[in-house]
Amino acid sequence: MLLVDDDPNVRRVVDRQLDALGWEAVPVETGQEAIRVVEHGMIVDVLLTDLHLPDIDGIVVARAVADLSPATRVAFMSGSAPGKPLEPRD
């Protein structure tokens, strides 16, 4: 699993929770870092990304990762509600 969140405290807590559930996560801070990890060959079964990242938003990250790794499942998280509904991508 690839975990993307810019807040180090959130990243740490979510990583610990995932670990307790048996998931091995690779935590990264930015959307660009997440994309680079996949570009460099990491096989990502699940992408868990914050919607609101300082460099690019989580939807952009998810689309870029999906282009590189179409089998990757995506889950979004956020401390605030999105300004618009999320639409599935075909």
Side-chain angles (χ1 to χ4, degrees), residues 33-47:
E33 186 179 1
I35 293 166
R36 276 193 303 274
V37 166
V38 178
E39 286 175 335
H40 286 105
M42 180 180 168
I43 297 171
V44 178
D45 50 352
V46 177
L47 168 68

Side-chain angles (χ1 to χ4, degrees), residues 1-85:
M1 173 180 289
L2 184 56
L3 167 62
V4 189
D5 197 291
D6 60 306
D7 184 315
N9 293 322
V10 171
R11 228 178 18 254
R12 186 173 35 259
V13 168
V14 172
D15 189 27
R16 285 181 187 161
Q17 291 173 335
L18 291 168
D19 187 55
L21 293 170
W23 287 86
E24 183 178 334
V26 173
V28 298
E29 184 175 356
T30 69
Q32 290 294 338
E33 186 179 1
I35 293 166
R36 276 193 303 274
V37 166
V38 178
E39 286 175 335
H40 286 105
M42 180 180 168
I43 297 171
V44 178
D45 50 352
V46 177
L47 168 68
L48 176 57
T49 183
D50 189 355
L51 280 170
H52 305 288
L53 297 165
D55 59 343
I56 56 177
D57 80 24
I59 295 170
V60 173
V61 174
R63 287 184 176 150
V65 169
D67 286 344
L68 295 164
S69 177
T72 299
R73 300 280 192 167
V74 177
F76 296 105
M77 61 182 177
S78 180
S80 62
K84 61 183 179 180

